[in-house]
Amino acid sequence: MTKRPTIDLIARLGGVCLAAAGLSGCNDTQNVSNARAWKPIPAETVALMNAKGSDSHQPIVIRAYKKEAELEIWKMKKDGQYTLLKTFPMCRWSGQLGPKVREGDRQVPEGFYAITPGQMNPNSNYYLSFNVGYPNQLDRALGHTGGMIMVHGACSSAGCFSMTDNQIAEIYAIAREAFGGGQRAIQMQSYPFRMTAENLAKHRLDPNMAFWKQLKVGSDHFEVSKREPAVGACGKRYVFDAQAANGGQLDAASPCPVLTEDPEIKSLVAEKESADSAKVAELIAKGMKPVKIMYADGGQHPDFAHVDEVSRPEALEKGPVEIALDDKGRATRKPAAVAVAKAAPAEAAKSSETFAAKNDDAPATTGTTAVSASASSNGDSIGRWLGLNKSAEAAAPAKSAPPETILVTDPDKPAKTARPKGAAAPVKPQASLATSTSQAN
Protein backbone atom coordinates (compact mmCIF):
# COMPACT_ATOMS: atom_id res chain seq x y z
CA MET A 1 0.00 0.00 0.00
CA THR A 2 1.52 3.37 -1.04
CA LYS A 3 2.24 5.84 1.75
CA ARG A 4 0.76 9.27 1.20
CA PRO A 5 3.04 12.30 1.58
CA THR A 6 2.94 13.93 5.01
CA ILE A 7 1.54 17.20 3.69
CA ASP A 8 -1.32 15.31 2.02
CA LEU A 9 -2.02 13.45 5.24
CA ILE A 10 -2.18 16.69 7.22
CA ALA A 11 -4.56 18.23 4.69
CA ARG A 12 -6.83 15.20 4.71
CA LEU A 13 -7.00 14.93 8.50
CA GLY A 14 -7.51 18.67 8.81
CA GLY A 15 -10.67 18.19 6.77
CA VAL A 16 -11.55 15.20 8.91
CA CYS A 17 -11.33 17.30 12.06
CA LEU A 18 -13.65 19.93 10.62
CA ALA A 19 -16.09 17.28 9.44
CA ALA A 20 -16.14 15.62 12.85
CA ALA A 21 -16.82 18.92 14.58
CA GLY A 22 -19.66 19.69 12.16
CA LEU A 23 -21.22 16.27 12.48
CA SER A 24 -21.26 16.28 16.25
CA GLY A 25 -22.09 19.90 17.04
CA CYS A 26 -18.74 20.23 18.80
CA ASN A 27 -18.60 23.17 21.19
CA ASP A 28 -15.18 22.55 22.70
CA THR A 29 -12.89 25.53 22.95
CA GLN A 30 -10.06 23.54 21.40
CA ASN A 31 -9.33 23.98 17.70
CA VAL A 32 -8.53 21.48 14.97
CA SER A 33 -4.79 21.73 15.66
CA ASN A 34 -5.35 19.89 18.97
CA ALA A 35 -1.94 18.45 19.81
CA ARG A 36 -3.50 15.35 21.38
CA ALA A 37 -4.70 14.23 17.96
CA TRP A 38 -1.17 14.40 16.55
CA LYS A 39 0.67 12.41 19.17
CA PRO A 40 2.87 9.85 17.42
CA ILE A 41 2.35 6.15 17.80
CA PRO A 42 4.65 4.97 20.65
CA ALA A 43 8.00 3.78 19.32
CA GLU A 44 7.59 0.36 20.91
CA THR A 45 4.26 -0.11 19.11
CA VAL A 46 5.82 0.85 15.77
CA ALA A 47 8.62 -1.65 16.45
CA LEU A 48 5.99 -4.29 17.23
CA MET A 49 4.25 -3.58 13.91
CA ASN A 50 7.53 -4.05 12.08
CA ALA A 51 8.26 -7.28 13.95
CA LYS A 52 4.89 -8.63 12.84
CA GLY A 53 5.48 -7.83 9.17
CA SER A 54 3.42 -4.65 9.08
CA ASP A 55 3.86 -0.91 9.44
CA SER A 56 1.95 2.12 10.69
CA HIS A 57 0.22 2.76 7.36
CA GLN A 58 -1.27 -0.71 6.91
CA PRO A 59 -5.05 -1.10 7.54
CA ILE A 60 -6.43 -2.14 10.92
CA VAL A 61 -9.45 -4.01 12.31
CA ILE A 62 -10.79 -3.37 15.82
CA ARG A 63 -12.43 -6.16 17.86
CA ALA A 64 -14.09 -5.52 21.24
CA TYR A 65 -15.42 -7.95 23.86
CA LYS A 66 -17.75 -6.64 26.58
CA LYS A 67 -17.68 -9.50 29.10
CA GLU A 68 -13.87 -9.68 29.04
CA ALA A 69 -13.63 -5.87 28.76
CA GLU A 70 -10.92 -5.99 26.10
CA LEU A 71 -10.34 -4.14 22.84
CA GLU A 72 -8.00 -5.60 20.22
CA ILE A 73 -6.16 -3.88 17.39
CA TRP A 74 -5.36 -6.13 14.44
CA LYS A 75 -2.90 -4.99 11.75
CA MET A 76 -2.71 -6.08 8.14
CA LYS A 77 0.57 -7.67 7.19
CA LYS A 78 2.17 -7.25 3.83
CA ASP A 79 0.66 -10.57 2.69
CA GLY A 80 -2.85 -9.14 3.20
CA GLN A 81 -3.68 -11.18 6.30
CA TYR A 82 -4.30 -9.62 9.71
CA THR A 83 -2.29 -10.26 12.85
CA LEU A 84 -3.13 -9.30 16.42
CA LEU A 85 -1.11 -6.22 17.32
CA LYS A 86 -2.23 -5.30 20.85
CA THR A 87 -4.99 -6.00 23.33
CA PHE A 88 -6.09 -3.06 25.47
CA PRO A 89 -7.99 -3.67 28.72
CA MET A 90 -11.19 -1.63 28.68
CA CYS A 91 -11.55 0.91 31.48
CA ARG A 92 -15.37 1.06 31.40
CA TRP A 93 -18.42 -0.16 29.50
CA SER A 94 -22.06 0.15 30.52
CA GLY A 95 -25.31 -1.80 30.39
CA GLN A 96 -25.70 -5.58 30.01
CA LEU A 97 -24.57 -8.24 27.56
CA GLY A 98 -26.75 -7.87 24.48
CA PRO A 99 -27.19 -5.42 21.59
CA LYS A 100 -28.18 -1.80 21.85
CA VAL A 101 -31.90 -1.46 21.06
CA ARG A 102 -33.07 2.03 21.94
CA GLU A 103 -31.77 5.46 22.79
CA GLY A 104 -31.10 5.83 26.50
CA ASP A 105 -30.73 2.10 27.28
CA ARG A 106 -27.02 2.57 28.18
CA GLN A 107 -26.20 -0.47 26.05
CA VAL A 108 -22.87 -0.75 24.25
CA PRO A 109 -23.71 -1.90 20.68
CA GLU A 110 -22.89 -5.36 19.38
CA GLY A 111 -22.35 -5.96 15.69
CA PHE A 112 -20.17 -4.92 12.77
CA TYR A 113 -19.52 -1.23 12.19
CA ALA A 114 -17.47 1.02 9.92
CA ILE A 115 -15.33 3.93 11.12
CA THR A 116 -14.44 6.53 8.48
CA PRO A 117 -12.06 9.52 8.72
CA GLY A 118 -15.05 11.82 9.18
CA GLN A 119 -15.95 10.00 12.40
CA MET A 120 -12.65 10.84 14.08
CA ASN A 121 -12.96 13.64 16.65
CA PRO A 122 -9.82 15.41 17.90
CA ASN A 123 -11.86 17.87 19.99
CA SER A 124 -13.72 15.48 22.25
CA ASN A 125 -14.49 16.44 25.83
CA TYR A 126 -13.42 12.86 26.57
CA TYR A 127 -9.81 13.52 25.51
CA LEU A 128 -10.09 11.97 22.00
CA SER A 129 -12.82 9.91 20.38
CA PHE A 130 -14.20 8.34 17.24
CA ASN A 131 -17.75 7.36 16.36
CA VAL A 132 -18.18 3.61 15.79
CA GLY A 133 -20.98 4.05 13.24
CA TYR A 134 -24.02 2.86 15.22
CA PRO A 135 -26.73 2.44 14.02
CA ASN A 136 -25.70 0.50 10.93
CA GLN A 137 -28.04 -0.65 8.16
CA LEU A 138 -29.14 -3.75 10.09
CA ASP A 139 -29.73 -1.81 13.31
CA ARG A 140 -32.04 0.57 11.42
CA ALA A 141 -33.89 -2.31 9.75
CA LEU A 142 -34.49 -3.81 13.21
CA GLY A 143 -35.85 -0.49 14.48
CA HIS A 144 -32.97 0.16 16.87
CA THR A 145 -32.56 3.78 17.93
CA GLY A 146 -29.87 5.96 19.49
CA GLY A 147 -26.53 7.08 18.17
CA MET A 148 -23.28 8.92 18.83
CA ILE A 149 -21.62 5.78 20.24
CA MET A 150 -17.91 6.37 20.66
CA VAL A 151 -14.61 4.86 21.61
CA HIS A 152 -13.17 7.57 23.86
CA GLY A 153 -11.08 8.30 26.94
CA ALA A 154 -11.97 9.43 30.48
CA CYS A 155 -13.09 6.00 31.81
CA SER A 156 -16.74 7.07 31.63
CA SER A 157 -19.45 5.18 29.75
CA ALA A 158 -23.17 5.54 29.12
CA GLY A 159 -23.21 3.33 26.04
CA CYS A 160 -19.64 3.85 24.82
CA PHE A 161 -16.37 1.93 24.81
CA SER A 162 -14.34 3.92 27.32
CA MET A 163 -10.57 3.73 27.66
CA THR A 164 -7.98 5.70 29.61
CA ASP A 165 -6.71 8.93 28.06
CA ASN A 166 -3.33 7.37 27.29
CA GLN A 167 -4.98 4.35 25.69
CA ILE A 168 -7.25 6.38 23.42
CA ALA A 169 -4.27 8.55 22.42
CA GLU A 170 -2.46 5.44 21.17
CA ILE A 171 -5.53 3.88 19.53
CA TYR A 172 -6.41 7.20 17.86
CA ALA A 173 -2.85 7.54 16.52
CA ILE A 174 -2.91 3.99 15.13
CA ALA A 175 -6.22 4.69 13.37
CA ARG A 176 -5.02 8.08 12.09
CA GLU A 177 -1.94 6.56 10.48
CA ALA A 178 -3.99 3.75 8.91
CA PHE A 179 -6.24 6.38 7.33
CA GLY A 180 -3.11 8.23 6.24
CA GLY A 181 -1.97 5.07 4.48
CA GLY A 182 -5.17 4.99 2.42
CA GLN A 183 -7.61 2.90 4.49
CA ARG A 184 -11.08 4.23 3.74
CA ALA A 185 -12.98 2.60 6.62
CA ILE A 186 -11.94 0.67 9.71
CA GLN A 187 -14.09 -2.35 10.52
CA MET A 188 -15.07 -2.61 14.18
CA GLN A 189 -16.39 -5.94 15.41
CA SER A 190 -18.19 -5.68 18.77
CA TYR A 191 -19.04 -8.88 20.64
CA PRO A 192 -20.78 -9.68 23.94
CA PHE A 193 -17.90 -12.03 24.78
CA ARG A 194 -15.20 -14.07 23.12
CA MET A 195 -16.90 -16.71 21.00
CA THR A 196 -15.45 -19.65 22.91
CA ALA A 197 -17.21 -22.97 23.42
CA GLU A 198 -17.42 -22.24 27.15
CA ASN A 199 -19.15 -18.88 26.67
CA LEU A 200 -21.52 -20.31 24.09
CA ALA A 201 -22.42 -23.22 26.38
CA LYS A 202 -22.96 -21.06 29.45
CA HIS A 203 -25.09 -18.48 27.61
CA ARG A 204 -26.98 -20.95 25.40
CA LEU A 205 -30.41 -20.01 26.79
CA ASP A 206 -29.94 -16.26 26.55
CA PRO A 207 -32.67 -14.58 24.46
CA ASN A 208 -29.91 -12.94 22.38
CA MET A 209 -28.26 -16.24 21.39
CA ALA A 210 -29.75 -16.31 17.86
CA PHE A 211 -28.25 -12.88 17.21
CA TRP A 212 -24.96 -13.82 18.85
CA LYS A 213 -24.69 -16.83 16.55
CA GLN A 214 -24.84 -14.41 13.62
CA LEU A 215 -21.94 -12.50 15.13
CA LYS A 216 -20.03 -15.76 15.60
CA VAL A 217 -20.34 -16.49 11.88
CA GLY A 218 -18.67 -13.14 11.17
CA SER A 219 -16.03 -13.85 13.79
CA ASP A 220 -15.35 -17.26 12.25
CA HIS A 221 -14.97 -15.72 8.79
CA PHE A 222 -12.28 -13.43 10.16
CA GLU A 223 -10.51 -16.10 12.19
CA VAL A 224 -10.31 -18.78 9.49
CA SER A 225 -9.13 -16.39 6.78
CA LYS A 226 -7.37 -13.68 8.83
CA ARG A 227 -8.92 -11.25 6.36
CA GLU A 228 -11.56 -8.59 6.93
CA PRO A 229 -14.93 -10.13 6.09
CA ALA A 230 -17.23 -8.29 3.70
CA VAL A 231 -20.27 -7.48 5.84
CA GLY A 232 -23.77 -7.25 4.41
CA ALA A 233 -27.32 -7.63 5.67
CA CYS A 234 -30.55 -8.98 4.26
CA GLY A 235 -33.62 -10.60 5.74
CA LYS A 236 -32.88 -8.63 8.94
CA ARG A 237 -29.70 -10.60 9.59
CA TYR A 238 -25.98 -10.34 8.89
CA VAL A 239 -24.36 -12.14 5.94
CA PHE A 240 -20.61 -12.34 5.39
CA ASP A 241 -18.46 -12.60 2.27
CA ALA A 242 -21.64 -13.05 0.24
CA GLN A 243 -23.10 -11.31 -2.80
CA ALA A 244 -26.46 -11.40 -4.52
CA ALA A 245 -26.23 -13.90 -7.37
CA ASN A 246 -28.05 -11.46 -9.66
CA GLY A 247 -25.53 -8.72 -8.91
CA GLY A 248 -28.07 -6.59 -7.07
CA GLN A 249 -27.66 -4.75 -3.78
CA LEU A 250 -28.45 -6.41 -0.47
CA ASP A 251 -31.09 -4.70 1.66
CA ALA A 252 -31.23 -5.37 5.39
CA ALA A 253 -35.02 -4.99 5.53
CA SER A 254 -35.76 -7.17 2.47
CA PRO A 255 -35.62 -10.96 2.12
CA CYS A 256 -32.24 -12.37 1.13
CA PRO A 257 -31.85 -13.16 -2.57
CA VAL A 258 -29.88 -16.16 -3.78
CA LEU A 259 -26.37 -15.56 -2.51
CA THR A 260 -22.97 -16.56 -3.84
CA GLU A 261 -20.15 -17.20 -1.40
CA ASP A 262 -16.45 -18.00 -1.56
CA PRO A 263 -16.47 -21.83 -1.43
CA GLU A 264 -13.11 -22.10 0.35
CA ILE A 265 -14.04 -19.71 3.16
CA LYS A 266 -17.51 -21.25 3.41
CA SER A 267 -15.96 -24.70 3.87
CA LEU A 268 -13.47 -23.49 6.51
CA VAL A 269 -16.21 -21.70 8.45
CA ALA A 270 -18.44 -24.79 8.36
CA GLU A 271 -15.54 -26.91 9.61
CA LYS A 272 -14.86 -24.52 12.49
CA GLU A 273 -18.54 -24.31 13.41
CA SER A 274 -18.78 -28.09 13.51
CA ALA A 275 -15.77 -28.35 15.82
CA ASP A 276 -17.06 -25.58 18.09
CA SER A 277 -20.53 -27.14 18.28
CA ALA A 278 -18.96 -30.46 19.29
CA LYS A 279 -17.06 -28.70 22.10
CA VAL A 280 -20.23 -26.99 23.30
CA ALA A 281 -22.09 -30.32 23.33
CA GLU A 282 -19.23 -31.92 25.26
CA LEU A 283 -19.30 -29.21 27.91
CA ILE A 284 -23.07 -29.55 28.30
CA ALA A 285 -22.75 -33.34 28.58
CA LYS A 286 -20.19 -32.86 31.35
CA GLY A 287 -22.70 -30.82 33.33
CA MET A 288 -22.06 -27.18 32.41
CA LYS A 289 -25.25 -25.36 33.37
CA PRO A 290 -26.71 -22.39 31.50
CA VAL A 291 -26.37 -19.04 33.27
CA LYS A 292 -27.51 -15.45 33.07
CA ILE A 293 -25.05 -12.73 34.04
CA MET A 294 -26.55 -9.51 35.37
CA TYR A 295 -24.58 -6.29 35.82
CA ALA A 296 -25.53 -3.31 37.95
CA ASP A 297 -24.30 -1.24 35.00
CA GLY A 298 -21.61 -2.80 32.85
CA GLY A 299 -18.08 -3.50 33.89
CA GLN A 300 -14.37 -2.92 33.42
CA HIS A 301 -11.21 -4.95 33.07
CA PRO A 302 -9.71 -6.23 36.37
CA ASP A 303 -6.57 -4.19 35.62
CA PHE A 304 -8.59 -1.10 36.58
CA ALA A 305 -10.19 -2.43 39.76
CA HIS A 306 -7.97 -0.04 41.76
CA VAL A 307 -9.15 3.09 39.90
CA ASP A 308 -11.97 5.16 41.44
CA GLU A 309 -12.16 7.85 38.76
CA VAL A 310 -14.65 6.04 36.57
CA SER A 311 -18.34 6.55 35.84
CA ARG A 312 -20.74 4.98 38.35
CA PRO A 313 -18.09 3.35 40.62
CA GLU A 314 -20.85 2.15 42.95
CA ALA A 315 -22.18 -0.09 40.17
CA LEU A 316 -18.73 -1.63 39.71
CA GLU A 317 -18.34 -2.33 43.44
CA LYS A 318 -21.46 -4.53 43.35
CA GLY A 319 -19.98 -6.58 40.54
CA PRO A 320 -21.74 -8.88 38.07
CA VAL A 321 -24.07 -11.60 39.36
CA GLU A 322 -24.22 -15.06 37.78
CA ILE A 323 -27.64 -16.70 37.90
CA ALA A 324 -27.80 -20.46 37.31
CA LEU A 325 -30.70 -21.55 35.06
CA ASP A 326 -32.50 -24.81 34.46
CA ASP A 327 -33.05 -26.19 30.97
CA LYS A 328 -36.13 -23.98 30.55
CA GLY A 329 -34.25 -20.80 31.43
CA ARG A 330 -35.62 -20.49 34.97
CA ALA A 331 -33.39 -19.56 37.92
CA THR A 332 -32.52 -22.62 40.01
CA ARG A 333 -30.74 -21.17 43.02
CA LYS A 334 -29.63 -18.03 44.76
CA PRO A 335 -27.56 -15.80 42.45
CA ALA A 336 -23.82 -15.74 43.12
CA ALA A 337 -21.52 -12.78 42.68
CA VAL A 338 -18.95 -13.26 39.96
CA ALA A 339 -15.52 -12.81 41.52
CA VAL A 340 -13.35 -10.36 39.62
CA ALA A 341 -9.68 -10.91 40.31
CA LYS A 342 -7.81 -7.83 41.47
CA ALA A 343 -4.35 -7.20 40.16
CA ALA A 344 -1.63 -6.89 42.77
CA PRO A 345 -1.04 -3.20 43.61
CA ALA A 346 2.28 -2.84 41.84
CA GLU A 347 1.16 -4.80 38.81
CA ALA A 348 -2.19 -2.98 38.64
CA ALA A 349 -0.56 0.43 38.61
CA LYS A 350 1.89 -0.74 35.99
CA SER A 351 -0.70 -2.42 33.78
CA SER A 352 -2.96 0.63 33.71
CA GLU A 353 -0.17 2.56 32.02
CA THR A 354 1.29 -0.20 29.84
CA PHE A 355 -2.23 -1.49 29.12
CA ALA A 356 -1.14 -5.12 29.45
CA ALA A 357 -0.71 -5.37 25.69
CA LYS A 358 -0.86 -8.96 24.43
CA ASN A 359 1.13 -9.56 21.30
CA ASP A 360 0.18 -13.10 20.22
CA ASP A 361 -0.94 -13.69 16.68
CA ALA A 362 -4.05 -15.53 17.90
CA PRO A 363 -6.82 -14.08 20.09
CA ALA A 364 -6.08 -14.37 23.78
CA THR A 365 -8.19 -16.87 25.70
CA THR A 366 -9.77 -15.60 28.87
CA GLY A 367 -9.84 -18.04 31.76
CA THR A 368 -12.98 -19.41 33.36
CA THR A 369 -14.71 -16.85 35.56
CA ALA A 370 -14.71 -17.91 39.20
CA VAL A 371 -17.93 -17.73 41.19
CA SER A 372 -17.81 -16.81 44.86
CA ALA A 373 -19.52 -18.97 47.48
CA SER A 374 -21.61 -16.14 48.86
CA ALA A 375 -23.72 -13.63 46.97
CA SER A 376 -23.13 -9.90 47.09
CA SER A 377 -25.79 -7.43 48.10
CA ASN A 378 -26.48 -7.00 44.41
CA GLY A 379 -27.03 -10.75 44.13
CA ASP A 380 -29.44 -10.68 47.09
CA SER A 381 -31.61 -8.04 45.44
CA ILE A 382 -31.75 -10.00 42.19
CA GLY A 383 -32.49 -13.15 44.18
CA ARG A 384 -35.44 -11.47 45.87
CA TRP A 385 -36.67 -10.33 42.46
CA LEU A 386 -36.52 -13.96 41.31
CA GLY A 387 -38.18 -15.17 44.52
CA LEU A 388 -35.21 -17.34 45.46
CA ASN A 389 -34.28 -16.01 48.90
CA LYS A 390 -37.43 -14.70 50.49
CA SER A 391 -36.26 -15.83 53.91
CA ALA A 392 -33.33 -13.45 53.71
CA GLU A 393 -35.34 -10.37 52.72
CA ALA A 394 -35.23 -8.93 56.21
CA ALA A 395 -31.48 -9.37 56.54
CA ALA A 396 -29.34 -6.30 56.04
CA PRO A 397 -27.16 -6.53 52.91
CA ALA A 398 -23.49 -7.14 53.55
CA LYS A 399 -21.30 -4.07 53.17
CA SER A 400 -18.55 -4.26 50.63
CA ALA A 401 -15.07 -3.47 51.84
CA PRO A 402 -13.75 -0.26 50.24
CA PRO A 403 -11.40 -1.01 47.36
CA GLU A 404 -7.70 -0.67 47.90
CA THR A 405 -6.31 2.80 47.20
CA ILE A 406 -3.50 3.02 44.68
CA LEU A 407 -2.05 6.15 43.15
CA VAL A 408 -2.98 6.79 39.55
CA THR A 409 0.17 7.63 37.64
CA ASP A 410 -1.50 8.63 34.37
CA PRO A 411 0.18 11.99 33.56
CA ASP A 412 -3.09 13.22 32.07
CA LYS A 413 -4.97 12.76 35.34
CA PRO A 414 -4.35 14.11 38.87
CA ALA A 415 -2.89 11.76 41.46
CA LYS A 416 -5.53 9.97 43.50
CA THR A 417 -5.78 10.64 47.22
CA ALA A 418 -6.59 7.99 49.78
CA ARG A 419 -10.25 7.56 50.69
CA PRO A 420 -11.20 7.27 54.39
CA LYS A 421 -11.82 3.69 55.44
CA GLY A 422 -15.42 2.69 54.83
CA ALA A 423 -16.23 5.80 52.80
CA ALA A 424 -18.24 5.36 49.64
CA ALA A 425 -16.49 5.69 46.31
CA PRO A 426 -16.90 9.15 44.77
CA VAL A 427 -19.21 9.40 41.79
CA LYS A 428 -17.47 10.91 38.82
CA PRO A 429 -19.60 13.59 37.17
CA GLN A 430 -20.67 12.81 33.62
CA ALA A 431 -19.09 15.41 31.35
CA SER A 432 -21.05 16.72 28.41
CA LEU A 433 -19.48 15.10 25.36
CA ALA A 434 -20.47 17.56 22.67
CA THR A 435 -19.00 15.42 19.94
CA SER A 436 -20.13 12.04 21.29
CA THR A 437 -22.99 12.58 23.68
CA SER A 438 -23.03 9.06 25.11
CA GLN A 439 -25.24 10.17 28.02
CA ALA A 440 -28.19 10.20 25.64
CA ASN A 441 -27.49 6.66 24.51
Side-chain angles (χ1 to χ4, degrees), residues 1-20:
M1 184 171 292
T2 304
K3 296 183 181 180
R4 296 178 180 272
T6 302
I7 188 167
D8 181 40
L9 171 61
I10 293 173
R12 291 174 71 241
L13 287 180
V16 167
C17 297
L18 290 171

Side-chain angles (χ1 to χ4, degrees), residues 57-131:
H57 288 89
Q58 293 296 322
I60 65 172
V61 164
I62 299 175
R63 310 182 89 197
Y65 309 91
K66 288 159 62 171
K67 180 181 175 183
E68 293 82 5
E70 292 182 329
L71 185 147
E72 297 175 343
I73 302 292
W74 289 69
K75 210 58 164 104
M76 183 186 283
K77 299 183 295 183
K78 297 195 169 59
D79 63 2
Q81 292 190 320
Y82 281 84
T83 182
L84 178 60
L85 179 67
K86 297 186 77 171
T87 299
F88 294 85
M90 204 179 300
C91 194
R92 194 71 172 90
W93 62 272
S94 60
Q96 307 291 334
L97 301 182
K100 182 172 182 62
V101 175
R102 66 182 186 279
E103 184 173 355
D105 63 6
R106 298 184 64 84
Q107 285 292 103
V108 173
E110 295 168 4
F112 290 75
Y113 299 95
I115 302 158
T116 63
Q119 291 162 226
M120 302 287 283
N121 180 15
N123 299 316
S124 172
N125 287 331
Y126 285 68
Y127 200 78
L128 290 168
S129 68
F130 51 85
N131 190 313

Side-chain angles (χ1 to χ4, degrees), residues 324-395:
L325 307 175
D326 63 17
D327 290 339
K328 293 184 178 180
R330 298 173 301 195
T332 60
R333 58 180 171 81
K334 184 178 179 179
V338 178
V340 179
K342 233 184 194 182
E347 287 300 316
K350 179 180 178 182
S351 64
S352 66
E353 293 310 308
T354 60
F355 315 129
K358 299 171 188 170
N359 301 321
D360 299 337
D361 283 352
T365 301
T366 302
T368 303
T369 303
V371 178
S372 68
S374 61
S376 68
S377 59
N378 190 41
D380 289 334
S381 62
I382 293 176
R384 287 194 293 274
W385 176 66
L386 293 168
L388 297 175
N389 56 343
K390 292 181 179 178
S391 61
E393 287 183 356

Side-chain angles (χ1 to χ4, degrees), residues 185-205:
I186 295 168
Q187 185 175 100
M188 181 165 183
Q189 307 172 8
S190 177
Y191 300 100
F193 41 67
R194 293 186 179 276
M195 294 294 168
T196 64
E198 180 182 344
N199 278 331
L200 293 168
K202 293 180 76 172
H203 295 277
R204 63 186 180 272
L205 297 185

Side-chain angles (χ1 to χ4, degrees), residues 240-272:
F240 302 94
D241 294 319
Q243 297 177 332
N246 62 9
Q249 295 293 319
L250 298 180
D251 178 54
S254 301
C256 288
V258 176
L259 299 173
T260 58
E261 302 176 67
D262 183 308
E264 181 180 359
I265 294 179
K266 183 177 180 179
S267 175
L268 291 172
V269 168
E271 182 180 341
K272 184 178 187 306

Side-chain angles (χ1 to χ4, degrees), residues 107-184:
Q107 285 292 103
V108 173
E110 295 168 4
F112 290 75
Y113 299 95
I115 302 158
T116 63
Q119 291 162 226
M120 302 287 283
N121 180 15
N123 299 316
S124 172
N125 287 331
Y126 285 68
Y127 200 78
L128 290 168
S129 68
F130 51 85
N131 190 313
V132 305
Y134 172 91
N136 61 21
Q137 185 188 47
L138 178 59
D139 293 318
R140 290 191 291 270
L142 293 172
H144 297 174
T145 60
M148 306 305 289
I149 303 298
M150 307 282 164
V151 177
H152 60 62
C155 293
S156 176
S157 175
C160 293
F161 305 82
S162 189
M163 318 300 291
T164 67
D165 292 351
N166 281 345
Q167 284 178 312
I168 191 59
E170 180 172 355
I171 295 167
Y172 191 100
I174 293 171
R176 181 194 69 219
E177 294 305 313
F179 285 134
Q183 186 170 10
R184 299 181 65 179

